[in-house]
Amino acid sequence: MKKLIFCYLLGLVSYHSFAETVVTNDGELGSLKDYYYSCWDFYDISLTDESDYVTDGKYSFITKGSSDGSRGDIKSPWIKFEKGKIYMDLTPYSEVKEAIVYAFYIPFDEDNKKTGESTDYEYLGYHEVNYGSINKDKTKKADFKISKDMEGAIGKVHLVFMVYGEDALMAIDNIEIPGEYYSDPSSNCFPKGEKKDTDGDGVIDGEDDYPEDKYKAYNNYLTPEGPGTLMFEDLWPATGDYDFNDLVLDYMINRITDADGKVVEVQIDLLPRAAGAGYSNGFGIEFTGISPGQIYKVEGSKIKSNTIHKFMSNGLEEGNEYATVIAFDDVDNVLTHPGGGSVGINTDPKFPMQSVEKMRITLYLNDPIVTTRSREEPVMLSDLTMDSFNPFLIVNQKRGVEVHLPGKRPTAHVDKSLFGTKQDNSNGDDNSFYKGKDNGLPWGLNVTESVPYMMNKESITTGYNMFYKWAATGGEAYPDWYKDQKGYREDKVLLNAK
């Protein structure tokens, strides 16, 4: 349907005359919207069918004046210019004290990825329409010569109308520009063949990660260099064996934005790699600061039929202040136990390593219509950063026992009576949660690249030699403790299921 409309419009904006091609605009489509479709642009210009103000045919463009002067603009589509003159009919009405039209040439600039318009305008001149005239209501013919630089070039004509006089009106009609119509409405009105925008979202295909989906434009990865690794201890608030392999998984989070920078979809790719615990642990992610109402739907979670969790209609966990996804409620949903007396999965080299499989959870955010109706603000990229990423372990089917990264707050379901007991030093201050009494050591780790993990019953300090100094200084010393550098690792106690 759109293609049919476009063909119809092309028939109205160009014609051949005396071996010249001319792009015209006479207002006869009767709707500015239809002219926008064919890539004309307007500012403070309207169309009228009132016979007292129509110069020719059924419609004319109108611009208003004021005592201090008011401005109206008409900008042409892209045109491949030919030799000749730009013409238009201008009719000032009785209240006009003075009216001037200025003409500019805008060259095409391929480096301007947004509009294609160069900032290096060429001034073509001006025309005084009514100054000093006593023939107030007579139509005038204004013209501007196509410059040598314009001949054969691709560009636009920008007309600026200044009208002086309280309640003044001036009609504009029969605009003629010598040249070939060169805009492509299907490619965001870029010149034909210059930039392709298949989905019409305003982002050209070469820069659009989703060139055939008008609702999505850009990938934005939380860890742009590749997947990160999460590692948890599940005996919180006790210290336990400190091998940080009770749950090990890699993650990649892609915050997909539209052409306007609004987040429309969040893709969470998880690769559960190991589970050294004898517990049936689950895993969730809270997106701190994001309201549950800003999420339309969640897909991809792996949940048992007899789950301990309750869910909202959109798939988020019920009862939380912020949007909380339960990725899986039991590690057995995502990893296969080797049997044979093994305590864990992929943590004991005496047992066969089990295959691991990536899972994807997708959060669909509200579209603009739903967002407006539910009075929820759209989510911007700045709302979904590492600070708002709050992953946590759910210990052995006990919803109130959550293990978060150090300094991260729990969800509303946590058993608050556990804080400050055994080795936990949480005291209610935001930065105190999930830090141990022994130099603030954590129960959860987030490494922003994929790294090996510990064998069962091997403390992380025996595999990563700089870990303790990093943790004990609150991250000041050895922030690169996990790197594969000389003296940093002991490979004989590390495993790397992938």
Side-chain angles (χ1 to χ4, degrees):
M1 180 64 182
K2 188 172 182 180
K3 289 184 177 179
L4 290 175
I5 292 174
F6 174 51
C7 292
Y8 170 67
L9 291 173
L10 279 183
L12 294 172
V13 297
S14 63
Y15 66 88
H16 290 267
S17 175
F18 303 106
E20 285 188 340
T21 304
V22 179
V23 176
T24 70
N25 191 334
D26 57 11
E28 293 306 302
L29 292 181
S31 167
L32 289 181
K33 182 179 179 180
D34 288 340
Y35 283 108
Y36 282 121
Y37 282 151
S38 56
C39 304
W40 289 83
D41 203 4
F42 306 90
Y43 173 76
D44 274 359
I45 297 286
S46 60
L47 267 171
T48 184
D49 60 356
E50 294 185 42
S51 58
D52 289 345
Y53 301 107
V54 172
T55 300
D56 187 27
K58 294 181 178 180
Y59 295 91
S60 288
F61 295 101
I62 289 288
T63 185
K64 296 179 180 180
S66 69
S67 57
D68 296 325
S70 289
R71 170 178 170 173
D73 295 56
I74 297 178
K75 192 184 292 184
S76 77
W78 294 107
I79 296 170
K80 190 172 185 179
F81 293 104
E82 296 181 4
K83 184 178 180 180
K85 287 186 177 182
I86 302 163
Y87 292 104
M88 69 203 72
D89 292 336
L90 303 169
T91 307
Y93 291 94
S94 57
E95 299 300 325
V96 174
K97 305 300 181 186
E98 181 180 1
I100 305 173
V101 55
Y102 302 89
F104 301 87
Y105 159 54
I106 308 174
F108 172 65
D109 180 3
E110 64 179 6
D111 293 327
N112 183 343
K113 307 299 184 183
K114 187 174 183 180
T115 67
E117 296 181 5
S118 171
T119 56
D120 188 16
Y121 285 25
E122 181 181 337
Y123 177 56
L124 300 179
Y126 72 95
H127 188 97
E128 292 181 321
V129 180
N130 201 47
Y131 184 68
S133 171
I134 60 171
N135 299 315
K136 299 291 185 182
D137 298 335
K138 299 296 184 181
T139 298
K140 316 289 192 280
K141 182 74 75 173
D143 62 79
F144 300 92
K145 186 178 180 180
I146 296 294
S147 70
K148 288 289 185 183
D149 289 341
M150 295 172 68
E151 292 178 19
I154 298 169
K156 296 181 177 182
V157 172
H158 186 177
L159 303 172
V160 179
F161 304 91
M162 294 297 300
V163 179
Y164 297 84
E166 199 67 35
D167 298 324
L169 295 174
M170 184 172 71
I172 306 152
D173 213 327
N174 295 325
I175 299 171
E176 298 181 3
I177 306 171
E180 179 187 354
Y181 180 93
Y182 225 71
S183 280
D184 183 355
S186 68
S187 294
N188 199 32
C189 284
F190 265 78
K192 290 185 290 186
E194 294 292 337
K195 301 293 179 183
K196 188 176 181 182
D197 180 14
T198 301
D199 56 16
D201 63 356
V203 180
I204 60 174
D205 287 1
E207 298 177 3
D208 195 332
D209 291 318
Y210 302 89
E212 296 183 358
D213 188 335
K214 66 180 180 180
Y215 299 108
K216 298 192 290 187
Y218 302 110
N219 291 324
N220 305 273
Y221 291 97
L222 195 61
T223 53
E225 301 303 318
T229 298
L230 294 167
M231 298 180 277
F232 291 96
E233 272 289 306
D234 67 1
L235 292 182
W236 176 86
T239 302
D241 56 15
Y242 224 60
D243 56 12
F244 279 95
N245 68 10
D246 294 331
L247 179 65
V248 181
L249 55 81
D250 281 3
Y251 70 92
M252 282 277 286
I253 296 180
N254 183 11
R255 305 152 298 165
I256 301 171
T257 51
D258 65 11
D260 297 322
K262 298 183 181 71
V263 180
V264 295
E265 191 173 304
V266 179
Q267 292 177 351
I268 307 168
D269 288 336
L270 300 176
L271 180 68
R273 297 166 61 194
Y279 289 162
S280 298
N281 295 326
F283 175 73
I285 303 173
E286 176 197 84
F287 291 96
T288 307
I290 304 303
S291 164
Q294 291 175 293
I295 307 299
Y296 170 63
K297 183 171 60 173
V298 178
E299 289 183 343
S301 298
K302 296 190 176 182
I303 306 298
K304 301 185 299 185
S305 59
N306 60 338
T307 183
I308 63 170
H309 301 275
K310 294 182 178 180
F311 295 95
M312 301 169 61
S313 60
N314 61 4
L316 295 172
E317 189 186 32
E318 192 176 274
N320 292 301
E321 180 181 3
Y322 301 121
T324 302
V325 177
I326 304 300
F328 52 88
D329 60 353
D330 190 331
V331 71
D332 288 340
N333 296 350
V334 294
L335 285 171
T336 302
H337 199 282
S342 175
V343 174
I345 306 169
N346 292 344
T347 58
D348 190 335
K350 295 192 299 290
F351 294 89
M353 296 292 277
Q354 302 299 298
S355 63
V356 296
E357 186 176 336
K358 185 169 71 173
M359 59 181 291
R360 171 170 288 180
I361 298 169
T362 305
L363 277 63
Y364 300 94
L365 279 71
N366 286 341
D367 62 34
I369 297 174
V370 176
T371 299
T372 302
R373 193 161 60 236
S374 62
R375 298 185 179 179
E376 296 283 358
E377 291 295 321
V379 177
M380 308 304 292
L381 199 59
S382 59
D383 298 324
L384 282 173
T385 64
M386 196 61 81
D387 287 339
S388 58
F389 178 54
N390 187 4
F392 60 97
L393 185 74
I394 303 156
V395 179
N396 204 27
Q397 302 300 298
K398 297 175 182 176
R399 184 59 190 87
V401 186
E402 301 179 0
V403 181
H404 290 252
L405 301 175
K408 292 290 189 178
R409 295 185 65 89
T411 74
H413 294 289
V414 75
D415 182 352
K416 295 179 181 179
S417 69
L418 296 173
F419 291 123
T421 64
K422 298 182 180 180
Q423 293 302 310
D424 179 67
N425 201 37
S426 305
N427 59 23
D429 292 340
D430 280 352
N431 199 42
S432 72
F433 286 103
Y434 299 99
K435 293 182 178 181
K437 294 174 181 177
D438 181 14
N439 290 318
L441 296 179
W443 281 266
L445 296 172
N446 177 20
V447 181
T448 54
E449 63 182 65
S450 184
V451 296
Y453 55 90
M454 302 304 303
M455 293 180 185
N456 248 355
K457 304 305 178 182
E458 293 283 353
S459 170
I460 194 168
T461 57
T462 66
Y464 289 97
N465 297 324
M466 308 305 171
F467 176 82
Y468 185 83
K469 293 178 182 178
W470 167 78
T473 60
E476 292 294 325
Y478 295 100
D480 59 350
W481 62 269
Y482 52 86
K483 293 287 188 180
D484 188 10
Q485 297 177 177
K486 186 177 180 180
Y488 275 47
R489 292 182 180 180
E490 298 294 339
D491 290 337
K492 63 183 179 182
V493 292
L494 295 174
L495 295 172
N496 203 15
K498 284 192 174 182

